[in-house]
Amino acid sequence: MPATSSATVFIQQSTLLLQARPTTTKISYSYNTNKETKRGTLAVKTFDPVSGSCFRLRTRKVNELNRILRALSGLAQVQSGLSSGAELLASSTE
């Protein structure tokens, strides 16, 4: 389960995975803070148990955090069948 290189790659790959297998793909995220340094880390994972595909990203950057959280809402719409994901994929490359 190697980590993806950037938020853009993670969003693109997760969107494609959700388009291919919307009913079995799971999105999970966790936020951890270090009490000594008071810095937080967001870890996001998209996993499909049927194909074995897994994409993971860990970041501390606020800009990436905002993009990922915005994309997660779009990915949830893809997962629930409310959106095809084409507009999300187009906006993630900007």
Side-chain angles (χ1 to χ4, degrees), residues 29-34 38-44 59-60 65:
Y29 63 96
S30 62
Y31 185 78
N32 298 314
T33 57
N34 185 339
K38 297 184 181 178
R39 293 185 72 184
T41 303
L42 177 72
V44 187
T59 186
R60 289 185 173 164
L65 175 67

Side-chain angles (χ1 to χ4, degrees), residues 19-81:
Q19 285 177 335
R21 298 187 181 273
T23 57
T24 58
T25 302
K26 306 293 181 210
I27 302 169
S28 62
Y29 63 96
S30 62
Y31 185 78
N32 298 314
T33 57
N34 185 339
K35 293 181 182 180
E36 294 175 7
T37 61
K38 297 184 181 178
R39 293 185 72 184
T41 303
L42 177 72
V44 187
K45 181 171 73 171
T46 306
F47 176 67
D48 177 37
V50 176
S51 67
S53 299
C54 183
F55 302 105
R56 169 174 78 97
L57 180 72
R58 203 175 286 243
T59 186
R60 289 185 173 164
K61 298 178 182 177
V62 174
N63 290 341
E64 284 187 359
L65 175 67
N66 289 333
R67 285 183 57 213
I68 291 167
L69 291 177
R70 189 175 73 220
L72 280 177
S73 66
L75 291 174
Q77 289 178 358
V78 172
Q79 191 172 24
S80 64

